[in-house]
Amino acid sequence: MILIKNVTILTMDRENPVIKQGFVLTEGNKIKYVGETRPEFEGHEIDGKGKILMPGFVNAHTHVPMTLLRSYADGYELETWLFDKIFPVEDRLNADHIYWGTLLGIAEMIKSGTTSFSEMYYELDAILDAVNTSGIRANISRGASGNKDDWENSLKKLEETERLFGKWNGFDEDRIKIDLGIHSAYTSDEKFLKYAGEFAKEKKMHVHTHISETETENKNVMNALGKTPTRVFYDFGYFENGLQGAHCVYLNDEDMKIFKENNGYIVSCPTSNMKLGSGIAPLKKYLDSGINVSFGTDGASSNNSLNMISELKFGGLLMCGSEKNPSAVQAFDLLHMGTVTGAKTQGRENLGKIKEGYIADMIILDGEAENMLPKIHNPYNHIAYSAHAGNVLTSIINGKVIMEDRKLKFIDEADVKKNIERVCKELFV
C-alpha cells in the first residue's frame, strides 16, 4: 500500500477535476481511496506538498527501439525516409540491439511521465524482456506485413503473434497485452490483408496499424485495392475487436464514419507528421464528429523524442493554430486525450483517472518549479502548456513505485548508456 498525502490531484474526472491538499491510497495495483481526509494507514508514504498528482500518460503509438536511429536520416519525406534510409538499417538490427534500444526508450518515457505505451516492432521477445524488467505498462504488437510471393515468411509473423499472445497477454495483472500489429495497407498485398483480418477476428484481437499517414499512401492503396486504407481494414474485419489507427492525416467522410461507428481509435502523432512533412491531421473535425482521438509520439527516428508532455503541447498548439481558434481544444480535454482516451485506445477501460477502483498508474510532478508558477491559476493549463519532462519526479505503475525523485528503480541508466554506445558502434561505425 502507498499513501500520497497533501497533494494537488488532477483526477481527469470531469465531475471532480481538481482536489487540493488531497490524499490517494493504493492497495495492490488499484486506487483504494481518493479524498480530502487522511485515511487510516501505516506503510510507505509520499509527501505531496507543493506537488501535483495525475494519471500517467499513454503513448498510444510508438516504435521504441528506434531510439537507436534518433537524429539519423532527418530531412526526408516519409516514403524516401522509410524505404531508402530506415528499412536498410533495421535489416541489421538484432535482438541485442533492440533490447537496449527499448530500455533506453522506456527510461526516457518513464522520466517524461509515460506509464503505458503501444508498441509495434519486431524481435518482440527482446522488447518484452525490457518491458518486464522496467515495470512499465505496454500493449505490444509485431508489425506484420506480407504478400503471396513470400507466403511462408508472411505467416511466420502471425505465428509469432499467436505464440506471444498465449505467453504474455494479460501478464502481471494485465500490465502487458499483446495486440495484432499490421504495419499498413500499403506494405501488404490483398491476400495477406484478408488472411490477417480473419486471424484477428478468430483470435478476437485488438489491432494496431498505420492508416492514411500521407497522400501518397492513400493514392497507392486506392490504385492497388480500389479503396481507402480505412475501408480496406473495415472490409477485412479489423475493426471488430477494436482498431487503433496511427496518424490518420487524410481520412475522408466515409473513413470518419467507419471510425466513429466501429470501435475505431485515431492516434495522432503531430510531431512526426510535421517533421516528415506528411501534413496536419484535422483533429478538431474528428473530435467534433465523435471519433475517439489519442496521441502517440511515433518512434524517436521520426520525432526525436518520446516525450508525451511535449507531444500534447504541440498537438494542442497545432489544433488552435490550424483552426485559427484559440479555444479549439481546452487543456483538460487535451490531457484527457493523453490519459483516459489513450487508455481506451489500448482497450483499457479502468485506467487513466485518479479514481477509486482504477488502476494505480500515476505520476507526481513538481508544482513549485519556476515554470509551474504561479499556482493560483489553472493547473491543467500548467501541465498542458508549461510543464516539461524534468518536472516529473515520481512514477507509480500498477501500484508499484517505478521512479522516485527521478531515480529509476528497475533500470540501471549507466548500464543502458554504456550498451547504447556499444551497439551504435556496431551499427553505424
Side-chain angles (χ1 to χ4, degrees):
M1 298 176 75
I2 303 169
L3 177 68
I4 303 101
K5 60 183 182 181
N6 304 319
V7 68
T8 296
I9 305 168
L10 307 190
T11 67
M12 297 313 310
D13 187 343
R14 294 184 190 277
E15 296 179 1
N16 186 27
V18 180
I19 300 174
K20 295 184 178 180
Q21 295 296 305
F23 297 83
V24 175
L25 178 65
T26 71
E27 183 174 51
N29 73 333
K30 299 285 182 64
I31 297 171
K32 183 178 182 180
Y33 171 81
V34 181
E36 297 178 342
T37 303
R38 179 188 172 98
E40 292 186 9
F41 170 75
E42 290 184 5
H44 182 55
E45 295 189 9
I46 298 174
D47 189 359
K49 184 178 180 181
K51 299 180 177 66
I52 297 171
L53 176 73
M54 66 172 291
F57 297 111
V58 178
N59 186 347
H61 176 71
T62 189
H63 313 285
V64 177
M66 295 180 84
T67 53
L68 298 173
L69 286 78
R70 193 195 316 266
S71 299
Y72 170 80
D74 286 354
Y76 297 92
E77 43 74 35
L78 177 69
E79 283 73 23
T80 300
W81 172 83
L82 187 62
F83 290 98
D84 296 348
K85 301 296 181 179
I86 298 302
F87 283 167
V89 175
E90 288 186 324
D91 286 341
R92 304 200 300 270
L93 297 181
N94 61 34
D96 180 59
H97 302 146
I98 287 172
Y99 174 79
W100 291 108
T102 301
L103 268 187
L104 175 65
I106 290 173
E108 179 183 353
M109 287 193 289
I110 292 173
K111 297 187 83 168
S112 55
T114 290
T115 54
S116 186
F117 70 100
S118 288
E119 172 67 24
M120 182 195 293
Y121 216 61
Y122 59 100
E123 293 285 2
L124 295 193
D125 289 296
I127 292 173
L128 284 158
D129 282 346
V131 169
N132 191 32
T133 295
S134 68
I136 200 168
R137 186 178 304 280
N139 283 40
I140 306 294
S141 63
R142 205 292 184 200
S145 57
N147 61 77
K148 62 181 182 296
D149 297 325
D150 190 19
W151 193 243
E152 183 177 347
N153 188 50
S154 300
L155 292 183
K156 286 181 180 179
K157 299 168 186 176
L158 298 182
E159 291 168 1
E160 180 182 1
T161 295
E162 187 172 17
R163 173 180 66 83
L164 294 170
F165 185 84
K167 180 180 179 181
W168 286 99
N169 193 57
F171 177 80
D172 193 14
E173 300 176 291
D174 221 28
R175 180 167 64 89
I176 296 175
K177 285 176 173 283
I178 303 297
D179 295 338
L180 175 63
I182 300 297
H183 180 272
S184 61
Y186 70 91
T187 52
S188 292
D189 66 11
E190 186 172 14
K191 180 180 179 180
F192 181 79
L193 290 168
K194 284 183 176 179
Y195 186 92
E198 289 299 320
F199 179 91
K201 288 190 290 184
E202 177 188 342
K203 304 299 180 183
K204 294 182 170 55
M205 293 189 73
H206 185 83
V207 176
H208 185 179
T209 188
H210 301 87
I211 291 182
S212 296
E213 186 172 357
T214 66
E215 292 174 301
T216 299
E217 173 191 337
N218 274 11
K219 179 180 178 181
N220 290 344
V221 174
M222 285 292 296
N223 288 339
L225 300 173
K227 57 189 77 173
T228 67
T230 298
R231 186 75 200 191
V232 168
F233 285 116
Y234 173 73
D235 286 349
F236 293 160
Y238 288 91
F239 280 84
E240 286 199 7
N241 296 291
L243 179 142
Q244 60 193 89
H247 304 295
C248 296
V249 181
Y250 299 100
L251 301 187
N252 63 26
D253 289 344
E254 183 191 37
D255 297 334
M256 290 169 57
K257 184 178 180 181
I258 289 171
F259 266 92
K260 179 182 178 181
E261 297 179 355
N262 294 279
N263 201 21
Y265 291 82
I266 290 173
V267 185
S268 182
C269 305
T271 302
S272 176
N273 295 155
M274 294 298 286
K275 186 166 179 285
L276 290 169
S278 299
I280 302 172
L283 297 188
K284 183 166 174 52
K285 182 178 180 181
Y286 297 161
L287 291 167
D288 288 348
S289 71
I291 301 172
N292 291 300
V293 178
S294 57
F295 283 99
T297 61
D298 209 356
S301 55
S302 62
N303 181 314
N304 295 66
S305 168
L306 300 179
N307 180 352
M308 278 293 291
I309 294 177
S310 62
E311 197 69 31
L312 290 171
K313 177 178 180 177
F314 187 56
L317 294 175
L318 204 56
M319 286 178 68
C320 294
S322 62
E323 295 290 331
K324 299 181 181 178
N325 176 5
S327 62
V329 62
Q330 300 299 313
F332 179 94
D333 296 317
L334 194 62
L335 296 182
H336 196 274
M337 294 161 70
T339 54
V340 179
T341 308
K344 290 182 178 180
T345 298
Q346 295 185 314
R348 301 179 184 274
E349 293 293 331
N350 63 337
L351 184 71
K353 294 182 181 181
I354 307 298
K355 189 174 183 178
E356 293 170 8
Y358 272 61
I359 298 293
D361 283 13
M362 307 176 286
I363 57 174
I364 300 174
L365 299 97
D366 184 357
E368 295 184 337
E370 289 81 358
N371 61 301
M372 301 290 279
L373 297 176
K375 292 190 287 184
I376 194 171
H377 301 308
N378 188 326
Y380 282 96
N381 291 344
H382 275 340
I383 301 297
Y385 294 114
S386 301
H388 57 67
N391 297 137
V392 181
L393 302 176
T394 295
S395 177
I396 298 169
I397 302 175
N398 218 33
K400 297 177 182 177
V401 178
I402 301 300
M403 178 179 74
E404 191 163 15
D405 295 328
R406 296 198 60 77
K407 176 67 176 176
L408 296 173
K409 300 283 189 178
F410 303 111
I411 298 177
D412 184 334
E413 293 181 75
D415 193 40
V416 171
K417 292 173 183 178
K418 179 182 69 176
N419 279 282
I420 289 297
E421 183 176 3
R422 173 183 61 81
V423 301
C424 284
K425 284 180 180 178
E426 295 175 10
L427 288 168
F428 299 109
V429 176

